């Protein structure tokens, strides 16, 4: 573990860079979550825009249908009125009714009519010509038929006008609906554009952070090569740093233990040297004493032999 000694002076720097890695990793996680949200918003915006576009198309078709129906109804009324105004037919009806009343009055004046003579002034109008006196009297039934025909036409025209009024209302409603859908499409388009821009911004930010993360990671990896670390797991930066801290603690623990053992060894070596000196001195002393002992033993043996020769086993 000698390479772990490198951690003593470099672990603080590694910790700072790993904290940067973790911060960048956290940013990446946050940006990834934001990207997912933005993607969901963009998808919803697309769906809403599609729905609004369909509504707009439907509203355009409804408006076109209403315009066509109104045009057909208006043309039908125009054809019915033969290019004239309805009030003209009402005036005509009033005129016919007045004429009928006038003819009814004339028809009731047979006695007076009988007194009329051509060339003489009429006491009523002063005219010298008297068409009614010649038998040229309009038939009231014909007037009634004209009145009925005009009344029927007016009634039919009024019904057609009512239809046109409803169709006009429908056209206005369709126009309002189209305006509403166009507004919704505009809002949905803006929302889609905003969502797309936000997603684009997040992608750019995420790409930038990932580049920064990669740069820091490569720098830390190069720095950790002396420790035999060739790759940093992106999701386990904190785990890697903890392992480095434990390696440093282990190195420091083993270093202390080694120092203690070396101290003990030195003490033992010193004691061994001291004891070796004592042993050497005592060995030398022992040798000298052994020599003395040997000499005394020889002397004793010699003396004892002489004594035996002189006294034998007798007590002195």
């Amino acid at each position: 573990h000698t390479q772990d000694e490198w951690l003593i002076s470099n672990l603080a720097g590694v910790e700072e860079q790993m904290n940067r890695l973790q911060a960048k990793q956290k940013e990446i996680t946050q940006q990834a979550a934001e990207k997912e949200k933005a993607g969901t918003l963009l998808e919803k915006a697309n769906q809403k825009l599609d729905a609004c576009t369909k509504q707009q198309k439907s509203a355009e078709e409804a408006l076109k249908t209403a315009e066509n129906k109104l045009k057909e109804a208006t043309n039908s009324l125009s054809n019915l009125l033969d290019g004239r105004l309805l009030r003209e037919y009402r005036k005509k009806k009033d005129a016919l009714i007045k004429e009928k009343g006038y003819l009814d009055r004339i028809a009731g004046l047979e006695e007076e009519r009988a007194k009329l003579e051509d060339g003489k002034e009429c006491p009523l109008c002063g005219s010298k010509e008297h068409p009614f006196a010649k038998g040229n009297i309009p038939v009231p039934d014909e007037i009634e038929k004209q009145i009925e025909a005009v009344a029927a036409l007016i009634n039919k025209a009024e019904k057609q006008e009512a239809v046109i009024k409803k169709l006009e209302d429908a056209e206005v409603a369709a126009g309002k609906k189209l305006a509403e859908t166009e507004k919704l499409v505009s809002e949905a388009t803006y929302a889609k554009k905003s969502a797309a821009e936000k997603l684009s911004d997040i992608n750019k930010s995420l790409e930038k952070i990932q580049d920064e993360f990669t740069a820091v990671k490569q720098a830390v990896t190069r720095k950790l090569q002396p420790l035999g670390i060739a790759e940093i797991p992106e999701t386990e930066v904190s785990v890697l740093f903890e392992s480095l801290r434990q390696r440093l603690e282990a190195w420091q623990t083993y270093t202390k233990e080694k120092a203690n053992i070396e101290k003990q060894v030195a003490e033992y070596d010193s004691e061994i040297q001291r004891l070796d000196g004592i042993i050497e001195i005592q060995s030398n002393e022992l040798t000298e004493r052994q020599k003395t002992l040997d000499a005394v033993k020889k002397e004793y043996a010699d003396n004892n032999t002489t004594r035996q020769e002189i006294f034998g086993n007798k007590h002195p």
Side-chain angles (χ1 to χ4, degrees), residues 44-61:
K44 289 182 178 179
N46 280 325
Q47 292 174 353
K48 186 173 182 180
L49 179 58
D50 290 341
C52 292
T53 303
K54 289 179 181 178
Q55 291 179 1
Q56 181 184 16
K57 186 176 180 180
S58 177
E60 288 174 348
E61 291 175 354

Side-chain angles (χ1 to χ4, degrees), residues 294-308:
D294 290 342
V296 172
K297 283 183 177 181
K298 186 176 182 302
E299 183 181 0
Y300 171 77
D302 291 343
N303 290 333
N304 191 49
T305 300
T306 302
R307 180 187 182 285
Q308 289 289 333

Side-chain angles (χ1 to χ4, degrees), residues 70-235:
L70 178 60
K71 185 177 180 180
E72 290 175 1
T74 303
N75 290 337
S76 178
L77 178 62
S78 178
N79 293 332
L80 178 66
L81 297 177
D82 195 21
R84 299 168 66 185
L85 298 176
L86 182 58
R87 64 172 176 268
E88 296 180 37
Y89 286 93
R90 291 194 178 106
K91 287 181 179 180
K92 181 178 179 181
K93 177 184 174 184
D94 292 340
L96 288 171
I97 291 172
K98 287 181 181 179
E99 185 177 353
K100 180 176 180 299
Y102 176 65
L103 290 176
D104 287 343
R105 284 174 55 199
I106 291 175
L109 296 175
E110 293 181 1
E111 183 178 349
E112 294 297 328
R113 188 167 57 244
K115 296 178 181 179
L116 293 174
E117 295 181 11
D118 288 334
K120 292 184 179 180
E121 294 182 356
C122 173
L124 180 64
C125 63
S127 175
K128 293 183 178 182
E129 295 182 359
H130 312 292
F132 295 141
K134 296 179 180 179
N136 189 21
I137 302 173
V139 181
D141 288 346
E142 193 65 30
I143 296 296
E144 288 178 359
K145 289 180 181 179
Q146 291 182 32
I147 292 173
E148 289 175 359
V150 173
L153 187 146
I154 291 172
N155 184 53
K156 190 173 181 180
E158 287 175 344
K159 289 181 179 180
Q160 188 66 14
E161 281 190 336
V163 171
I164 290 173
K165 180 63 171 65
K166 290 181 179 180
L167 292 175
E168 287 174 344
D169 293 340
E171 183 189 28
V172 171
K176 289 182 179 178
K177 182 65 176 179
L178 178 59
E180 291 174 359
T181 57
E182 287 175 344
K183 182 180 178 182
L184 291 175
V185 168
S186 176
E187 292 173 350
T189 303
Y190 178 77
K192 177 184 175 181
K193 181 181 178 182
S194 298
E197 289 176 351
K198 185 175 181 180
L199 181 59
S200 177
D201 292 341
I202 291 174
N203 281 330
K204 291 178 182 177
S205 176
L206 181 58
E207 184 178 353
K208 180 181 178 182
I209 295 171
Q210 286 174 334
D211 290 342
E212 292 173 352
F213 177 85
T214 301
V216 175
K217 180 183 174 183
Q218 290 174 348
V220 176
T221 301
R222 287 193 298 270
K223 201 167 189 178
L224 294 178
Q225 284 180 351
L227 299 176
I229 298 174
E231 183 64 26
I232 298 177
E234 294 186 3
T235 58

